[in-house]
Amino acid sequence: MKKTTYLIALVFVTIALYSATWVAGGYSIGDKVKDFSLKNVDGKSVSLLGNKEAKGYIIAFTCNTCPMANLYEDRIIALHEKYAPKGYPVLAIQPNDIALSRGDSFEAMQKRAKEKNYSFPYLLDETQEVTRTFGATNTPHMFIVSKEGNDFKLAYIGAIDNNPGDGSQAEKKYVENALEELLSNKPVSQTSAKAIGCGIKWKSS
């Protein structure tokens, strides 16, 4: 039992250290978000402007291999099920360099999406350009963009909630709160929360 507890603690400490890695730049709250086009697991390209009905998106930088991303996977699925009908679907983006993380290859992404029955796009950022443009650093790392006129603007950056181990016990559900406020035409009261997870595996320059 003590050994198991120690290993769990070690995983979380390692994740916390990885999460300290920071990439300069990225969007700030209120910034206009540039459209992008990435390959989905079905082989088709997906862009922000491709869904004319969307009021915005829940953009989740996530992957197959990070323990923290796995802990949050069902919560990302639940966010899509709850908010896609209200105009805010999930776009999941796999940001890791697949040469450094074979478990995040396109084929592995396809397998994962099928196993978990993803009903949202799971996109590969092969060049990591979109990931750098957003300023994502971890998996999972959440961004909410909201449509204003013909533009998408950034409304929230950070964590899903404040309880990685058990979402049902979370005292703060940052992403849900931000979405409820947006849907009520209210300003987002908490626009950021520190995202904790595995550091993104970057291509060597």
Side-chain angles (χ1 to χ4, degrees), residues 13-181:
V13 168
T14 303
I15 286 172
L17 289 173
Y18 274 131
S19 72
T21 305
W22 181 255
V23 176
Y27 291 125
S28 298
I29 297 299
D31 283 355
K32 177 182 174 181
V33 173
K34 188 170 68 173
D35 194 22
F36 57 79
S37 180
L38 295 174
K39 187 168 74 170
N40 189 21
V41 289
D42 65 2
K44 299 178 181 177
S45 294
V46 172
S47 68
L48 291 178
L49 297 177
N51 181 354
K52 301 300 181 187
E53 304 301 318
K55 298 176 182 176
Y57 292 97
I58 307 164
I59 298 174
F61 289 88
T62 187
C63 67
N64 293 359
T65 56
C66 173
M68 190 67 79
N70 294 340
L71 280 174
Y72 273 108
E73 185 177 30
D74 287 343
R75 277 171 263 184
I76 292 172
I77 293 170
L79 284 170
H80 179 75
E81 291 174 349
K82 182 174 181 178
Y83 290 103
K86 299 179 180 181
Y88 282 85
V90 164
L91 290 181
I93 299 175
Q94 197 294 95
N96 288 329
D97 178 12
I98 59 176
L100 298 175
S101 184
R102 298 290 185 185
D104 291 316
S105 69
F106 188 68
E107 293 74 20
M109 289 172 59
Q110 290 176 310
K111 183 179 179 183
R112 187 72 176 188
K114 185 175 182 180
E115 287 175 349
K116 296 294 290 187
N117 197 27
Y118 286 178
S119 56
F120 49 82
Y122 189 22
L123 311 172
L124 175 61
D125 185 12
E126 194 165 8
T127 67
Q128 300 185 313
E129 179 181 348
V130 173
T131 306
R132 290 186 184 280
T133 300
F134 270 81
T137 56
N138 307 326
T139 54
H141 202 163
M142 309 299 289
F143 294 74
I144 298 174
V145 299
S146 185
K147 197 169 188 178
E148 296 185 21
N150 294 320
D151 299 326
F152 287 98
K153 293 189 176 181
L154 191 63
Y156 175 80
I157 307 171
I160 293 176
D161 58 38
N162 69 343
N163 192 328
D166 185 353
S168 68
Q169 300 301 313
E171 296 173 350
K172 295 183 178 180
K173 298 187 176 183
Y174 307 115
V175 169
E176 285 199 44
N177 290 345
L179 289 165
E180 292 296 336
E181 289 170 338

